Amino acid sequence: MERLSKMVSEKPVVIFSKSSCCMSHTVRSLFSDFGVNPTVYELDEIPRGREIEQALSRLGCSPTVPAVFIGGEFVGGANEIMSLHLKRSLKPMLKSAGALWV
């Protein structure tokens, strides 16, 4: 858990993903369209990815990917991100975290 906390606190937007997950790709594409450059950890490609996935599960991430952190705080998965976007709440969160300047 400590390692996970360190990883999410180092950058404004962190996404835990798997290379084969279409919903992770969708979330990454949305952020890219905004001009946000999130830090992405592909859990199926990094050392100790399984361990990080278990920590995400203990945090309440279900499913475990995509798991999006903004400003060091867990925001949610694809459903939560899309809901925030539709409510026009996502961009203000990104601005507040320093990930979006416009």
Side-chain angles (χ1 to χ4, degrees):
M1 278 302 246
E2 185 178 315
R3 180 172 184 203
L4 182 64
S5 297
K6 185 178 186 319
M7 292 169 84
V8 302
S9 66
E10 292 175 340
K11 300 289 180 175
V13 179
V14 176
I15 301 173
F16 291 95
S17 172
K18 286 190 177 176
S19 59
S20 61
C21 176
C22 64
M23 293 311 292
S24 294
H25 175 76
T26 301
V27 169
R28 287 193 313 268
S29 294
L30 177 66
F31 285 119
S32 178
D33 288 348
F34 287 159
V36 172
N37 187 22
T39 298
V40 179
Y41 294 102
E42 300 287 359
L43 297 179
D44 56 341
E45 296 178 353
I46 62 171
R48 303 177 85 182
R50 183 74 186 130
E51 191 178 302
I52 295 166
E53 189 172 5
Q54 290 171 345
L56 289 168
S57 181
R58 286 192 298 275
L59 254 182
C61 302
S62 180
T64 53
V65 294
V68 180
F69 291 78
I70 299 175
E73 299 293 321
F74 176 60
V75 176
N79 287 341
E80 291 81 9
I81 294 301
M82 294 305 170
S83 291
L84 288 168
H85 175 52
L86 293 172
K87 293 177 191 171
R88 299 177 187 252
S89 302
L90 184 57
K91 279 188 177 181
M93 287 178 79
L94 293 168
K95 286 179 186 174
S96 170
L100 188 62
W101 296 275
V102 178

